[in-house]
Amino acid sequence: MTAITIRPLYEIAEEIYAAFGEIGKPVPPHAKPYIAAMLSLDEITDKYGLDSAKSIVIYALSNLSAELKAMVK
């Protein structure tokens, strides 16, 4: 059984920016503020202003999901 390595949120955000850059597209505008916030977060228990890192991640996922769903339709 393989253990899952939990990376810092800022590393995941950097990877998201890099992935969009590789395909020559900007990060979707509705997801961008949440991905940008993730750049300053380390763990899911962190805070970004008054928001929890968990809520930032959920909003980022929601907006990225909507963008991806629109692409496959």
Side-chain angles (χ1 to χ4, degrees):
M1 183 176 205
T2 304
I4 296 174
T5 302
I6 308 246
R7 297 182 293 148
L9 292 172
Y10 65 84
E11 283 185 12
I12 296 168
E14 289 169 352
E15 190 172 314
I16 292 168
Y17 275 115
F20 276 96
E22 286 176 14
I23 61 171
K25 298 207 179 231
V27 173
H30 297 326
K32 190 172 185 174
Y34 303 109
I35 305 303
M38 287 172 58
L39 289 171
S40 66
L41 297 169
D42 188 35
E43 299 179 0
I44 202 71
T45 55
D46 290 348
K47 298 286 269 181
Y48 183 80
L50 297 176
D51 295 318
S52 68
K54 185 176 181 177
S55 69
I56 298 289
V57 170
I58 289 169
Y59 287 128
L61 287 170
S62 175
N63 284 289
L64 287 169
S65 175
E67 182 80 11
L68 292 169
K69 284 179 185 176
M71 290 172 71
V72 296
K73 285 188 176 184

